């Protein structure tokens, strides 16, 4: 057997999901010793690998774990990792596809699927906010001649979420609630759409509620619309009186700038 | 010249942008304007008070600079309370 083939077979045996028997392969690849058989020796490493993946996923998604329950989360996690195996050098990326994967598998969580998908989106955004990249901040010198055609970008670590359930409150409450049932009960009781910005400040992650227009305006800016166009888009179905717009916009832009959410993309003073 | 409502709104947005950017550049990030909030702190665990003497019985205080300078790095602060992890000072003898 060539080294490359040996390495591939060894990797396949180690990474095989729990429950899959690999006794014959273990016997081919590994010698037994006086205490353990070949498959027992292999199982030590295979179990350690899977235990680490499952622990890491549960640690990153405590809210989804609470909604699903520990046992069901474990089954769900094994199924997810079979479909979306770790492809990154870091465990940080392990759950990147969990929100979309949960969305595609309504059979797994049944009536709690929408709640779990919202929670998974929030918890992935939490990871991105914690260690996502930071672009250079918008500085006063970038604004010497601001105009309505100016385009501004948003920090890569900032995630904007439109959620059917107030999972931000639920996740914070989970930190103090020992039980898991309250997560589902509380969210179901409070079910109403919310808009949330997941961001960080000085190394701490925050969930900041947004008004619908504020959310749509930030989304439009992120998609590259110029400020004037983004304002028009965000307020097209607004409940706010037109007279309130200047005050709202001044407050929001000032707050986003203070929070360090804004970055420069390009400045086109002629485009409105 | 007659300004449209939209122009006024965009002008206000730009005013906020300039004001917020200048304020951020002038003040340390930690000084937060009370007129806006950061939002809910996501990890309440971070707020938990540090347990007094969290290293008790673990010998984890070794080399961390607790106690007097003569004791640094020697783990001789063990049992003396000088390495209090909540920042408190040992009672004077």
């Amino acid at each position: 057997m060539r080294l490359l083939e040996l390495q591939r077979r060894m990797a396949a045996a180690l990474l095989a999901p729990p429950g899959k028997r690999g006794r014959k392969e273990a016997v081919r690849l590994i010698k037994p010793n006086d205490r353990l058989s070949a498959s027992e020796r292999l199982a030590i490493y295979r179990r350690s690998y899977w235990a680490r993946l499952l622990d890491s996923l549960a640690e990153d998604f405590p809210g989804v774990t609470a909604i699903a329950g520990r046992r069901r989360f474990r089954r769900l996690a094994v199924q997810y990792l079979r479909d979306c195996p770790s492809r990154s050098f870091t465990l940080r990326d392990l759950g990147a596809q969990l929100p979309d994967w949960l969305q595609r598998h309504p059979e797994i969580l049944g009536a709690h699927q929408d709640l779990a998908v919202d929670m998974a989106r929030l918890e992935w955004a939490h990871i991105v906010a914690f260690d996502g990249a930071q672009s250079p901040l918008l500085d006063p010198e970038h604004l010497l001649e601001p105009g309505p055609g100016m385009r501004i970008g948003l920090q890569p670590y900032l995630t904007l979420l439109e959620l059917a359930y107030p999972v931000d409150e639920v996740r914070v409450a989970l930190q103090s609630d020992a039980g898991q049932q309250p997560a589902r009960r509380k969210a179901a009781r409070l079910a109403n759409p919310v808009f949330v910005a997941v961001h960080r400040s000085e190394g701490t992650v925050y969930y900041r509620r947004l008004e619908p227009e504020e959310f749509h305006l930030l989304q439009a800016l992120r998609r590259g619309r110029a400020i004037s166009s983004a304002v028009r888009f965000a307020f097209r179905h607004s409940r706010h009186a037109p007279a309130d717009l200047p005050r709202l916009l001044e407050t929001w832009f000032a707050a986003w700038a203070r929070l360090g959410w804004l970055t420069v993309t390009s400045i086109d003073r002629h485009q409105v | 010249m007659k300004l449209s409502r939209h122009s006024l709104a965009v002008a206000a947005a730009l005013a906020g942008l300039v004001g917020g950017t200048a304020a951020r550049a002038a003040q340390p990030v930690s000084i937060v304007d009370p007129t806006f909030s950061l939002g809910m702190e996501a990890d309440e665990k971070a707020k938990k008070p540090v347990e007094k003497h969290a290293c008790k019985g673990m010998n984890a205080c070794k080399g961390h600079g607790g106690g007097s300078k003569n004791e640094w790095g020697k783990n001789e602060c063990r049992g003396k309370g000088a390495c209090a992890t909540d920042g408190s000072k040992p009672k004077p003898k």
Side-chain angles (χ1 to χ4, degrees):
Chain A
M1 194 187 303
R2 292 175 59 195
L3 178 62
L4 183 62
E5 189 195 349
L6 177 68
Q7 287 174 329
R8 283 184 175 152
R9 286 174 63 176
M10 190 67 193
L14 279 176
L15 308 186
K20 193 174 176 185
R21 290 181 171 270
R23 203 175 66 81
K24 283 183 184 172
E25 185 70 339
V27 168
R28 282 188 213 108
L29 296 171
I30 297 165
K31 287 182 180 173
N33 63 16
D34 55 344
R35 282 159 294 156
L36 296 169
S37 68
S39 55
E40 285 170 336
R41 294 184 80 188
L42 178 67
I44 291 171
Y45 295 97
R46 187 203 274 184
R47 281 189 201 135
S48 306
Y49 173 75
W50 276 89
R52 187 167 298 172
L53 291 193
L54 294 171
D55 282 355
S56 173
L57 207 59
E59 204 171 289
D60 285 349
F61 293 89
V64 179
T65 307
I67 290 164
R70 282 184 193 281
R71 281 189 185 174
R72 193 148 51 148
F73 181 81
R74 190 186 152 82
R75 287 200 299 273
L76 167 168
V78 170
Q79 209 170 328
Y80 165 71
L81 291 168
R82 277 180 183 158
D83 291 352
C84 309
S86 174
R87 298 277 186 230
S88 169
F89 71 97
T90 166
L91 286 174
R92 180 260 193 207
D93 299 333
L94 199 60
Q97 298 175 70
L98 186 63
D100 288 344
W101 184 87
L102 278 173
Q103 185 84 63
R104 292 197 304 272
H105 291 277
E107 74 283 1
I108 292 177
L109 289 172
H112 304 303
Q113 192 214 6
D114 290 343
L115 176 61
V117 169
D118 270 3
M119 186 63 88
R121 291 171 66 209
L122 180 81
E123 294 189 315
W124 176 247
H126 186 118
I127 292 168
V128 171
F130 182 72
D131 65 0
Q134 176 169 322
S135 297
L137 291 168
L138 195 68
D139 281 329
E141 56 262 38
H142 295 128
L143 299 169
L144 293 175
E145 292 180 62
M150 182 179 182
R151 291 166 199 272
I152 50 179
L154 302 183
Q155 290 291 356
Y157 64 75
L158 171 70
T159 303
L160 305 167
L161 296 171
E162 183 175 1
L163 302 164
Y165 293 89
V167 287
D168 52 341
E169 284 181 5
V170 176
R171 195 181 186 278
V172 170
L174 272 176
Q175 314 272 344
S176 50
D177 290 350
Q180 295 177 358
Q181 279 298 106
R184 292 201 286 257
R185 276 210 301 271
K186 182 168 181 166
R189 198 174 64 240
L190 297 172
N192 67 312
V194 291
F195 298 91
V196 178
V198 184
H199 71 111
R200 70 169 179 247
S201 178
E202 297 192 325
T204 301
V205 176
Y206 293 91
Y207 306 147
R208 187 175 192 262
R209 288 282 177 95
L210 304 172
E211 288 201 40
E213 292 86 352
E214 191 181 9
F215 171 85
H216 292 301
L217 182 49
L218 285 163
Q219 284 278 51
L221 293 171
R222 170 158 275 171
R223 288 177 185 146
R225 286 200 187 214
I227 290 177
S228 173
S229 164
V231 168
R232 218 183 277 280
F233 169 78
F235 285 89
R236 68 201 186 287
H237 305 303
S238 177
R239 60 187 167 77
H240 287 291
D244 292 339
L245 261 58
R247 180 187 53 79
L248 282 173
L249 288 166
E250 185 172 357
T251 307
W252 291 346
F253 272 85
W256 303 338
R258 289 290 307 277
L259 291 165
W261 291 3
L262 306 180
T263 64
V264 172
T265 51
S266 67
I267 294 175
D268 177 358
R269 296 188 183 87
H270 303 293
Q271 186 184 341
V272 178
Chain B
M1 184 177 76
K2 189 180 175 186
L3 286 172
S4 71
R5 277 187 173 149
H6 181 69
S7 301
L8 282 171
V10 173
L14 294 171
L17 185 61
V18 172
T21 306
R24 187 175 203 287
Q27 274 186 330
V29 181
S30 57
I31 299 172
V32 179
D33 188 332
T35 57
F36 70 90
S37 76
L38 289 161
M40 277 186 285
E41 194 171 325
D43 281 315
E44 289 285 312
K45 280 177 189 168
K47 284 184 186 170
K48 277 188 181 173
V50 178
E51 188 190 344
K52 194 173 180 178
H53 302 297
C55 57
K56 184 181 175 186
M58 299 173 78
N59 281 352
C61 51
K62 185 177 180 181
H64 287 202
S68 71
K69 278 189 178 177
N70 295 335
E71 293 166 339
W72 285 2
K74 295 178 184 171
N75 206 24
E76 287 178 3
C77 53
R78 183 182 171 195
K80 295 181 183 175
C83 57
T85 45
D86 65 348
S88 63
K89 302 285 180 195
K91 287 176 187 170
K93 288 174 184 173

